[in-house]
Amino acid sequence: MDETKKVWVPHPTDGFKLGRIIDLSPDGVTVEVLDRPSGQKLAASYDRVYPADEYDNKDVDDNCALMYLNEATLLNNIRLRYMKDSIYTYVASILIALNPYREMPALYSSQTIKSYMGKSLGVMPPHVFAIADKAYRDMRVVKTSQSIIVSGESGAGKTESTKYILKYLTECWGTHAGPIEQRIVQSNPLLEAFGNAKTMRNNNSSRFGKFVEIHFDQKNMVCGGHISHYLLEKSRICTQNDDERNYHIFYRMCAGAPASLRQQLKLGSPDHFNYLNRGCTQFFCTKNTEKSLNQEQKSQMHSSRGGLHDIQLDDVSDFNLTDKAMSQMGITDAERGAIYQVVAGVLHLGNVAFEEDPDSKGGCRVTSSTEGSLLTAAQFLGCDKEDLKRALVCRAMNTSKAGRGGTVIQVFLKTGESQSARDALAKSIYSKLFDYIVTRVNQSLPFQSSKSYIGVLDIAGFEYFQTNSFEQFCINYCNEKLQQFFNNRILREEQALYEKEGLNVKKIHYTDNQDCIELIENKGIGIFDILDEENKLPRPSYDHFTTEVHNKNKNHFRLSVPRKSKLKTHREIRDEEGFLIRHFAGAVCYHTAQFIEKNNDALHASLEALVMESKNSLVKLIFQGSESQNVGKLAFVSVGSKFRTQLGLLMEKLNGTGTNFIRCIKPNVRMVDHLFEGTQILTQLQCSGMTSVLELMQQGYPSRTQFSDLYDTYKKYMPPEIARLDPRMFCKALFKALGLNENDFKFGMTKVFFRPGKFAEFDQIMRSDPENLAFLIKKVKKWLICSRWRKVQWCTLSVIKLKNKIAYRKGLLVKLQSTIRMWNFKHEFQPRIKMMLKIRSLSSQLEQMRQLAGQLKKEKEPAVQKIASVEKDISEGQKKIQVAKKMNRKELEAIYGGLVKSTEKTFGDLRKMVDAQKIAEEQERLRKIQEEMEREKKRKEEEERKRREEEEMKRQKAEIEVRRKKEEELQKKQEQLNRKNAEQTQKESEKRSVEERVRQQQLEQERLDRELALRLVEEDSNMVEDVQQITRSNSVASIKDKQGKAKHDLSKWSYAQLRDTINTSCEVDLLEACREEFHRRLKVYHDWKTKNKRRQVAGGADDRAPKAIIGTENSTSANSSGQGGNDAQRFFLIPFAKPSDIHQDDNQQQKGWWYAHFDGKWIARQMELLPGREPALLIAGVDDMKMCELSLDETGLTRKRGAEILEQQFEDEWAKYGGIRLLQNNAKRIASNFLKKKIGGGGGGSAPNKF
């Protein structure tokens, strides 16, 4: 084995470890890890072991530049760069960004921004600025709006990446930080204050999605912006999990607002508010701002544990930043005060509690202890206290059908219903307030003069928690759509473009998630539609909804019950309480208890009327723009429907723009710097499709440009005589002059394509110093002169041909003139002449008909009469045309048509009669010929039989030929027998192949599910129970049964055991079995090693797994002796060449002869004779490892004409080169019984005993 070969082997915590292969087995390989002195050994399957680069500590900017392109080398390159503070890496044109969890000011300074302006992708180190600059240049050159999709898990750094993109675009192409540019930048902290919150995985998690558009005018300068937001997490307003907080604005008002404002809004510590004290109540602060907090502002948790620390968050100082941002957006002091009042009103509203009211039948009332909170909330929301109280504890109901013209009655609410109404009001007010703030931001960013825009999408990444509800369901559905868009744009459309442009790039297969999207959004049976239908029922229930989901999507691969989850806590959920969806990133179990409530955010009539008539102008304004929600259950618009509509509009925008991708990666769950958790990073890379992109970019051309765009870009560097060329010729001349490697680019039908990083090199050459450019121009001119000289030669030949053609046409013109004169003369009589000619042509058929009639032997007289009748009609027609003074075209056509029909009918009847007669004669003739052929055949057979009987078998070689023919006949019979079952065998093979493919997909999904579950375990310390082991296929099971029945089953032995047995054992059968098993493993290993050779210049995918072992079809041990069931001795002679000379010319090959003696099925002796070399004599039992391993039938020698020889011929050659002495010296080790008898004097064969 090659112990120096390094490979990457999967590791449970680090993703992959570097090691060397130490053993092979049918199930996989054993690898010894290199970075541990203890010599840890890891076992893995063949398809999960990847070859490593020779220099594994070298990192590259673009992963496409790696020697081996696989997920292991991708992970290693990212790790090396991350430890060197290089958080950005390319995969072709896609940027991978790791969250450093610390400030890196030099990386985003103004100097850095200037260094990336106008630079092609790949010229500078990877950076988010490079992607922003590429989007701007594409927008300017292609004249198409661009989108930048920033995706990743919560805490991966999506929001920060979005900030830096906006900063780059506004600083580079703004009017020197004018008002609009400042507002675009300041919109982020403002929206973060109202839409971001602390979660267990991220201190500044965006709980909404946004699509920020930066608009540019005709001069490609920033002229405005627009923000679209999606799916604000409303449930967080009322409840939060442990160690999580509500939205930042609540804590910033409690910690950073001036004392007068806090007193005016009656704000205290978070412990005083029910909407805050159920989660984490600590403030984000620094050592300096901690001192400014008094004891009344701190919660008990903050006092005992201290404040929270984050490099970007400080509740005390961030309040002033939020207030300043609103001021820059044009929000006045009065409007800001109204906003703070509404926020405080939501907090005080959450403190209102309810208890049962004995005076009402089943109703409730506000507790006396919370009357003050009710009064405060009513004041801040602009409502009357009694009206608010009444709307919370009862609701108005119209008794008429469809809600019109009936009696309005009041229905008292129970305690739980009143609490739900209070929370619904709070969520609705805050959601409308957030919509209002976004609207005000958009109003401050007008873009009337916009020509195009660059959109930045920042939306929550794939989410999975211990408890996943409706918000996680919508977010993950959005990520499914974005993943499909990524697959279509990067993988499917890229490959379609290659095929359209004729680049012949290998097709890449990837997993399509369309079935998962259909499960969620299909009409009628999709989860969204089932949920909307449940909301319309008189008494909707979550268990009925969940049951309907399972019933309408039975046997769907993506849908399952909670008990099939990898997590123990999820398996305790009943089937009617939730469902499990296998997303592209892994399986997620959803609790459906609150799906119905969260899908319907409508207020009941009393509360809606209350806020619509509010005395607070802001509250009245934010509700005034919305349509009434109380339109009945059958016509309401659900939250899911709104989100699907918004997502559809977003996908339309993305499909209509050029796309750039940034994949943000979360390096660890502890959110600390310089900690690289390989397994969870690898999972994120796989879920984001990076491994498929890496395989595609290995084969493809990620950089491309139109010929015209390339011409417009570089024509200004060229002199006029070159610049006036057409774009395609310009590009061709340019590339020829530069002498670029043809493997680095390809010309398509409309574009030129570049390998990763090669367009940047080309651009750098073109923008080089003047002397180098002058040299390139000189080469271009030389190429153009040669090209034009070839065109001059071609043009000269064309002129000569043109001269000859003119002379030829001159003669034709004279003839044309005479023809025209004739045509003018005949034009007057043309119709009649033409018709007469047509009728005359019919006369020619009369002779044919007469000939046909003459061929008839029967019915000849009626045929002659028919011909005469037709001839008479033709004569009358001609006479009528000649005599008539005036006759129009229609009349002529009518006469001719009648004659044609009559003639064709008669001709057809005659032909049928002749054909019938010929058929009868032909049948009679064929019968006679057949009889004659039978007689001739019998005569020839008789002659052949006599000839064979007369021949004598004078030589023994004739008998050998007869035996060979008999074996061929047996082979043909066997093939006929096999053909009968071929169709059934093929069907079974295809069925097994489909089952195996489905099983592999299920195994891959199981692996992703388990990795996802392991990540949850690391974060939440849950127990993961091992699932049932993967069952083997039927083919593998049958092989195991055969091995069990064998005498020696060595398939599980290690290499060391085989080696020690061969060196020490005296048991012949065991020794032979060990040698055969060792030889089989060595052969499989060398096959695998050859497939994993280094990638060539042209590129190509590496085969990493020896498929011969994965699909183990051969038994692990052959027969212990070299004998078969047949004792016949056969001898063969064939020519051969040295293996090293096979690929040389025939004159240079050294050809020799190969002799073989087969004892039954297996070889007993072998002899190789080559000119100029010592003869090689081999004996079974002595030289098994060097001899032919195939049985006699497998070699095909018996079917090869002239290969078999006489025993005497073989024995003469064997004795000539010392074979007798060799047999005598190794008499005890000989495996052939035939040879043993000959040596012992028994004469066991047909030849005489020579020993």
Side-chain angles (χ1 to χ4, degrees):
M1 295 184 184
D2 187 1
E3 297 183 354
T4 62
K5 178 68 177 179
K6 295 180 181 179
V7 296
W8 290 105
V9 62
H11 191 269
T13 58
D14 294 343
F16 282 93
K17 282 283 191 180
L18 193 64
R20 289 191 177 94
I21 298 176
I22 60 174
D23 197 11
L24 299 172
S25 67
D27 297 330
V29 298
T30 303
V31 179
E32 183 177 9
V33 178
L34 296 180
D35 63 350
R36 297 203 176 184
S38 59
Q40 180 187 9
K41 298 179 181 179
L42 299 175
S45 60
Y46 285 99
D47 57 347
R48 294 294 294 165
V49 177
Y50 300 100
D53 292 343
E54 182 178 356
Y55 303 102
D56 52 87
N57 290 323
K58 180 183 178 181
D59 65 288
V60 294
D61 291 345
D62 190 347
N63 288 282
C64 293
L66 294 171
M67 183 179 298
Y68 296 106
L69 299 183
N70 52 61
E71 58 187 47
T73 54
L74 171 64
L75 181 66
N76 180 60
N77 187 54
I78 294 175
R79 177 183 61 83
L80 293 174
R81 293 180 60 80
Y82 179 72
M83 292 305 175
K84 298 177 181 178
D85 289 335
S86 298
I87 62 174
Y88 295 115
T89 311
Y90 288 133
V91 176
S93 60
I94 302 172
L95 181 69
I96 298 178
L98 271 69
N99 193 338
Y101 289 119
R102 67 187 187 90
E103 292 186 354
M104 304 177 71
L107 193 60
Y108 307 102
S109 63
S110 299
Q111 187 66 28
T112 305
I113 291 177
K114 294 179 181 178
S115 64
Y116 278 88
M117 285 187 63
K119 301 294 178 60
S120 297
L121 209 64
V123 175
M124 298 290 291
H127 203 291
V128 68
F129 292 162
I131 298 296
D133 189 82
K134 175 182 178 295
Y136 177 80
R137 286 186 288 106
D138 290 345
M139 178 197 69
R140 187 179 59 186
V141 174
V142 186
K143 312 298 183 185
T144 303
S145 296
Q146 301 291 312
S147 295
I148 302 175
I149 298 179
V150 184
S151 60
E153 291 189 357
S154 178
K158 301 186 298 298
T159 302
E160 291 303 311
S161 297
T162 302
K163 290 180 184 177
Y164 291 128
I165 292 173
L166 298 179
K167 177 182 178 182
Y168 182 85
L169 294 175
T170 53
E171 286 196 17
C172 292
W173 294 284
T175 56
H176 303 289
I180 291 182
E181 291 75 24
Q182 291 179 353
R183 290 172 183 174
I184 292 174
V185 175
Q186 289 298 324
S187 64
N188 268 295
L190 176 58
L191 296 180
E192 286 179 13
F194 287 87
N196 287 25
K198 177 190 179 301
T199 64
M200 291 185 293
R201 298 179 178 176
N202 186 6
N203 290 335
N204 192 26
S205 176
S206 297
R207 308 316 300 163
F208 70 102
K210 64 177 180 291
F211 186 67
V212 183
E213 301 173 14
I214 309 298
H215 287 260
F216 296 85
D217 56 18
Q218 296 292 336
K219 297 180 180 180
N220 295 314
M221 302 298 290
V222 175
C223 66
H226 183 78
I227 298 175
S228 304
H229 68 286
Y230 311 94
L231 198 66
L232 178 69
E233 187 181 11
K234 300 178 185 178
S235 60
R236 182 170 296 273
I237 299 168
C238 304
T239 58
Q240 306 90 39
N241 295 329
D242 295 338
D243 295 331
E244 292 193 357
R245 300 201 318 174
N246 209 322
Y247 291 105
H248 292 326
I249 187 61
F250 296 112
Y251 304 91
R252 292 179 181 179
M253 289 175 60
C254 294
S260 59
L261 181 60
R262 294 201 309 271
Q263 185 177 3
Q264 177 186 349
L265 300 178
K266 300 181 181 180
L267 297 178
S269 70
D271 288 340
H272 295 161
F273 300 101
N274 292 334
Y275 283 169
L276 302 181
N277 58 22
R278 299 173 186 175
C280 175
T281 57
Q282 297 166 272
F283 292 128
F284 281 102
C285 57
T286 62
K287 292 181 180 180
N288 295 329
T289 57
E290 174 81 21
K291 299 176 182 179
S292 63
L293 294 173
N294 56 49
Q295 198 62 32
E296 295 179 355
Q297 292 177 274
K298 297 179 182 179
S299 64
Q300 293 181 0
M301 185 183 296
H302 188 102
S303 300
S304 59
R305 301 181 183 178
L308 301 172
H309 300 287
D310 190 278
I311 58 177
Q312 297 175 341
L313 298 177
D314 186 347
D315 290 330
V316 179
S317 59
D318 285 348
F319 176 81
N320 295 327
L321 295 178
T322 304
D323 190 76
K324 181 181 178 181
M326 284 194 287
S327 176
Q328 291 181 345
M329 295 298 161
I331 301 177
T332 63
D333 295 342
E335 290 173 333
R336 295 201 300 275
I339 291 173
Y340 297 144
Q341 279 189 355
V342 173
V343 174
V346 171
L347 287 178
H348 289 291
L349 181 63
N351 288 342
V352 178
F354 305 92
E355 61 184 4
E356 294 184 2
D357 185 6
D359 297 335
S360 63
K361 297 179 180 179
C364 66
R365 64 186 179 188
V366 178
T367 61
S368 58
S369 60
T370 59
E371 287 283 347
S373 298
L374 178 65
L375 176 61
T376 305
Q379 291 176 351
F380 291 158
L381 298 178
C383 305
D384 182 73
K385 174 187 175 183
E386 294 302 324
D387 291 343
L388 179 58
K389 180 192 297 185
R390 188 181 306 108
L392 290 175
V393 299
C394 62
R395 64 182 178 90
M397 186 177 70
N398 198 317
T399 58
S400 69
K401 189 175 183 180
R404 294 181 180 179
T407 304
V408 178
I409 62 175
Q410 284 190 344
V411 178
F412 290 95
L413 303 178
K414 297 180 181 179
T415 303
E417 294 174 338
S418 293
Q419 292 173 351
S420 299
R422 175 203 62 198
D423 293 343
L425 178 60
K427 290 187 286 187
S428 181
I429 292 173
Y430 191 84
S431 175
K432 298 291 185 183
L433 177 64
F434 186 78
D435 294 344
Y436 168 76
I437 292 174
V438 174
T439 302
R440 292 301 304 268
V441 170
N442 287 332
Q443 290 174 355
S444 67
L445 304 173
F447 56 93
Q448 287 81 2
S449 59
S450 172
K451 182 190 71 172
S452 55
Y453 68 87
I454 296 177
V456 184
L457 177 63
D458 175 12
I459 200 164
F462 184 79
E463 288 192 348
Y464 52 96
F465 303 105
Q466 288 295 329
T467 303
N468 302 285
S469 189
F470 184 70
E471 292 84 3
Q472 284 70 43
F473 177 75
C474 292
I475 290 171
N476 292 342
Y477 163 64
C478 175
N479 280 271
E480 288 282 357
K481 296 285 284 187
L482 291 176
Q483 182 66 22
Q484 185 187 49
F485 175 78
F486 175 80
N487 290 340
N488 292 340
R489 184 57 60 92
I490 297 298
L491 301 177
R492 183 181 300 173
E493 292 186 5
E494 190 79 5
Q495 294 183 94
L497 177 62
Y498 292 160
E499 184 176 353
K500 178 181 178 182
E501 294 285 341
L503 300 188
N504 298 324
V505 176
K506 179 182 176 183
K507 190 172 183 180
I508 305 299
H509 298 279
Y510 57 90
T511 302
D512 190 1
N513 62 338
Q514 177 62 29
D515 54 344
C516 184
I517 295 175
E518 291 176 351
L519 170 67
I520 298 173
E521 68 178 14
N522 259 2
K523 187 175 183 180
I525 61 173
I527 296 177
F528 271 130
D529 279 10
I530 297 175
L531 181 60
D532 289 349
E533 289 299 322
E534 189 69 28
N535 274 107
K536 296 176 183 179
L537 296 178
R539 291 187 178 180
S541 61
Y542 71 90
D543 51 352
H544 180 264
F545 156 69
T546 310
T547 304
E548 285 295 302
V549 170
H550 288 298
N551 292 338
K552 291 186 177 182
N553 295 278
K554 287 183 179 179
N555 302 324
H556 198 292
F557 171 70
R558 296 283 184 175
L559 182 69
S560 186
V561 292
R563 62 174 179 269
K564 293 187 178 181
S565 174
K566 304 295 181 185
L567 290 176
K568 184 177 180 180
T569 55
H570 289 167
R571 291 199 293 272
E572 296 173 355
I573 302 173
R574 294 186 300 175
D575 292 354
E576 63 272 14
E577 293 179 348
F579 52 79
L580 183 141
I581 296 181
R582 295 184 176 93
H583 291 285
F584 72 94
V588 178
C589 185
Y590 296 100
H591 296 66
T592 58
Q594 296 182 341
F595 265 53
I596 297 174
E597 175 187 348
K598 293 180 179 180
N599 191 46
N600 184 6
D601 61 350
L603 300 175
H604 65 71
S606 300
L607 287 176
E608 185 177 7
L610 184 69
V611 294
M612 292 289 286
E613 298 175 358
S614 172
K615 297 177 183 178
N616 187 319
S617 59
L618 178 59
V619 175
K620 187 174 183 180
L621 177 64
I622 62 179
F623 279 92
Q624 194 172 14
S626 61
E627 297 180 359
S628 177
Q629 305 260 357
N630 293 281
V631 292
K633 281 197 170 186
L634 298 181
F636 90 106
V637 181
S638 65
V639 175
S641 298
K642 294 177 185 176
F643 180 63
R644 289 170 63 185
T645 303
Q646 290 179 328
L647 189 57
L649 295 175
L650 173 63
M651 299 310 297
E652 289 181 5
K653 285 186 178 180
L654 295 180
N655 286 319
T657 61
T659 314
N660 302 272
F661 291 93
I662 299 177
R663 295 301 200 188
C664 296
I665 303 297
K666 185 177 181 180
N668 58 78
V669 297
R670 294 169 56 188
M671 294 184 287
V672 296
D673 60 308
H674 291 93
L675 177 59
F676 191 90
E677 296 179 352
T679 299
Q680 76 141 345
I681 294 176
L682 181 62
T683 303
Q684 296 177 65
L685 291 172
Q686 291 171 341
C687 293
S688 62
M690 285 297 99
T691 53
S692 299
V693 173
L694 200 65
E695 186 178 359
L696 174 65
M697 295 310 173
Q698 176 185 359
Q699 306 288 338
Y701 300 83
S703 302
R704 79 289 310 267
T705 182
Q706 297 278 353
F707 292 121
S708 57
D709 295 339
L710 199 67
Y711 172 77
D712 293 337
T713 303
Y714 298 112
K715 69 177 181 179
K716 58 186 176 182
Y717 299 104
M718 299 289 115
E721 60 268 22
I722 299 178
R724 63 169 173 258
L725 296 173
D726 66 277
R728 188 180 183 89
M729 178 59 70
F730 176 84
C731 296
K732 189 175 181 181
L734 201 59
F735 282 45
K736 287 287 185 181
L738 294 176
L740 297 180
N741 190 345
E742 294 185 357
N743 294 322
D744 295 338
F745 70 93
K746 272 194 177 183
F747 280 94
M749 303 298 293
T750 60
K751 301 177 182 178
V752 58
F753 295 78
F754 295 89
R755 288 284 189 187
K758 297 303 178 182
F759 183 69
E761 295 180 8
F762 169 76
D763 182 69
Q764 191 172 6
I765 292 174
M766 293 303 301
R767 301 177 188 273
S768 59
D769 58 280
E771 294 182 359
N772 185 36
L773 189 59
F775 176 72
L776 295 178
I777 293 172
K778 183 178 179 181
K779 293 177 66 177
V780 173
K781 289 181 178 179
K782 180 180 178 181
W783 185 86
L784 285 175
I785 291 172
C786 295
S787 177
R788 288 169 178 170
W789 173 244
R790 287 191 294 268
K791 288 184 179 180
V792 168
Q793 292 176 330
W794 181 84
C795 290
T796 304
L797 294 175
S798 299
V799 170
I800 295 173
K801 290 181 179 179
L802 181 60
K803 174 187 175 184
N804 296 335
K805 186 177 290 186
I806 291 172
Y808 171 73
R809 288 182 177 180
K810 181 179 179 181
L812 293 180
L813 286 174
V814 176
K815 185 182 292 185
L816 179 63
Q817 290 173 359
S818 62
T819 304
I820 290 175
R821 294 191 193 99
M822 179 189 68
W823 182 86
N824 289 331
F825 180 75
K826 290 184 177 181
H827 181 66
E828 184 178 356
F829 301 97
Q830 182 181 12
R832 294 193 184 193
I833 294 173
K834 188 174 182 181
M835 193 58 63
M836 290 293 292
L837 292 174
K838 286 184 177 181
I839 294 175
R840 189 177 298 172
S841 66
L842 294 177
S843 301
S844 63
Q845 296 185 13
L846 293 175
E847 185 63 28
Q848 296 179 6
M849 286 190 286
R850 291 191 184 96
Q851 293 177 1
L852 291 176
Q855 296 176 9
L856 293 175
K857 296 178 180 180
K858 298 179 181 179
E859 301 179 355
K860 185 174 183 179
E861 189 64 27
V864 172
Q865 292 177 359
K866 289 183 179 180
I867 295 172
S869 176
V870 172
E871 185 176 7
K872 181 180 178 182
D873 293 340
I874 292 175
S875 299
E876 291 178 353
Q878 289 177 339
K879 185 176 181 180
K880 185 177 180 180
I881 293 173
Q882 291 174 356
V883 173
K885 293 182 179 181
K886 183 179 282 189
M887 185 174 288
N888 57 30
R889 188 179 296 274
K890 290 185 178 180
E891 293 175 347
L892 293 173
E893 291 291 342
I895 295 172
Y896 176 72
L899 294 176
V900 168
K901 290 181 180 178
S902 176
T903 304
E904 289 180 350
K905 183 178 182 304
T906 305
F907 190 82
D909 294 341
L910 291 174
R911 184 173 292 280
K912 288 180 181 178
M913 296 168 64
V914 172
D915 289 343
Q917 179 176 299
K918 286 184 178 180
I919 290 171
E921 293 176 352
E922 183 67 17
Q923 289 178 350
E924 180 65 21
R925 188 179 67 83
L926 290 176
R927 185 182 63 78
K928 293 179 180 180
I929 292 174
Q930 184 68 24
E931 292 177 355
E932 182 65 24
M933 290 176 64
E934 291 292 336
R935 288 193 296 269
E936 181 68 16
K937 182 179 179 182
K938 290 181 181 179
R939 184 182 63 79
K940 289 183 178 181
E941 289 178 353
E942 183 67 20
E943 291 177 356
E944 181 67 17
R945 185 183 63 79
K946 291 179 181 180
R947 185 182 66 79
R948 288 183 180 178
E949 289 177 355
E950 291 173 358
E951 287 184 353
E952 295 180 0
M953 303 294 290
K954 295 181 179 181
R955 302 179 64 185
Q956 195 171 355
K957 288 186 178 180
E959 296 178 357
I960 294 174
E961 181 65 20
V962 171
R963 182 170 56 188
R964 185 187 64 78
K965 290 183 179 180
K966 289 181 180 179
E967 290 176 352
E968 287 183 350
E969 292 176 358
L970 292 175
Q971 182 67 22
K972 290 180 181 179
K973 291 180 180 179
Q974 184 63 33
E975 291 177 356
Q976 292 176 356
L977 183 61
N978 292 340
R979 253 187 248 108
K980 293 180 181 179
N981 300 325
E983 183 177 356
Q984 184 64 26
T985 304
Q986 182 66 21
K987 290 180 180 179
E988 294 177 358
S989 176
E990 292 175 355
K991 183 178 179 181
R992 286 195 299 270
S993 177
V994 172
E995 292 175 353
E996 182 65 19
R997 194 182 306 112
V998 172
R999 191 177 71 86
Q1000 290 295 335
Q1001 292 178 356
Q1002 293 176 352
L1003 292 180
E1004 180 64 17
Q1005 182 66 45
E1006 291 289 334
R1007 183 179 68 82
L1008 289 174
D1009 295 350
R1010 181 167 180 82
E1011 291 178 356
L1012 198 64
L1014 286 173
R1015 292 183 60 189
L1016 275 177
V1017 168
E1018 293 178 0
E1019 298 172 4
D1020 304 316
S1021 300
N1022 260 288
M1023 180 182 299
V1024 179
E1025 294 185 356
D1026 291 334
V1027 294
Q1028 184 178 0
Q1029 295 292 328
I1030 301 174
T1031 59
R1032 295 291 184 187
S1033 62
N1034 295 333
S1035 61
V1036 178
S1038 62
I1039 292 172
K1040 293 296 182 181
D1041 293 339
K1042 292 180 182 178
Q1043 291 178 348
K1045 296 177 183 178
K1047 186 174 182 181
H1048 298 290
D1049 184 8
L1050 308 180
S1051 60
K1052 300 298 183 181
W1053 283 32
S1054 67
Y1055 166 75
Q1057 290 175 317
L1058 291 174
R1059 181 194 60 204
D1060 295 339
T1061 302
I1062 293 174
N1063 293 336
T1064 60
S1065 177
C1066 298
E1067 186 178 351
V1068 177
D1069 293 343
L1070 180 59
L1071 279 172
E1072 291 183 357
C1074 288
R1075 290 192 186 101
E1076 291 170 355
E1077 176 66 9
F1078 178 82
H1079 186 55
R1080 183 187 68 81
R1081 294 188 186 183
L1082 192 62
K1083 181 179 179 182
V1084 171
Y1085 171 74
H1086 282 299
D1087 290 342
W1088 174 79
K1089 179 182 176 183
T1090 303
K1091 291 179 181 179
N1092 283 278
K1093 62 185 178 180
R1094 288 186 177 180
R1095 182 186 62 179
Q1096 301 299 324
V1097 176
D1102 295 334
D1103 294 323
R1104 302 180 293 274
K1107 298 179 181 177
I1109 285 189
I1110 294 177
T1112 313
E1113 295 290 339
N1114 300 322
S1115 60
T1116 56
S1117 61
N1119 294 328
S1120 60
S1121 67
Q1123 304 174 8
N1126 187 5
D1127 293 334
Q1129 310 299 316
R1130 303 183 71 169
F1131 304 86
F1132 299 89
L1133 170 63
I1134 58 172
F1136 82 105
K1138 291 174 58 181
S1140 59
D1141 296 339
I1142 291 177
H1143 302 289
Q1144 295 183 2
D1145 297 336
D1146 293 341
N1147 299 330
Q1148 298 178 353
Q1149 291 184 0
Q1150 292 187 5
K1151 297 183 178 179
W1153 296 95
W1154 185 79
Y1155 291 81
H1157 166 208
F1158 280 85
D1159 185 358
K1161 291 173 55 179
W1162 308 101
I1163 194 166
R1165 286 180 289 173
Q1166 176 178 322
M1167 181 165 56
E1168 300 175 0
L1169 303 179
L1170 275 172
R1173 297 184 61 181
E1174 290 293 329
L1177 281 68
L1178 307 175
I1179 306 172
V1182 179
D1183 306 293
D1184 291 340
M1185 301 299 289
K1186 301 178 181 179
M1187 298 180 69
C1188 175
E1189 300 177 355
L1190 304 177
S1191 66
L1192 180 58
D1193 293 337
E1194 293 173 338
T1195 60
L1197 291 173
T1198 59
R1199 298 184 294 276
K1200 188 171 184 179
R1201 186 184 299 274
E1204 189 166 3
I1205 61 175
L1206 299 177
E1207 179 180 1
Q1208 189 61 41
Q1209 290 178 278
F1210 181 89
E1211 297 294 355
D1212 291 343
E1213 294 294 327
W1214 180 264
K1216 179 179 178 180
Y1217 295 106
I1220 298 175
R1221 185 180 298 104
L1222 181 65
L1223 287 173
Q1224 292 174 347
N1225 294 338
N1226 298 277
K1228 295 183 179 181
R1229 299 175 62 188
I1230 294 174
S1232 173
N1233 292 331
F1234 173 78
L1235 294 178
K1236 289 180 180 179
K1237 290 180 181 179
K1238 296 192 74 168
I1239 295 174
S1246 60
N1249 186 3
K1250 293 186 178 182
F1251 312 122

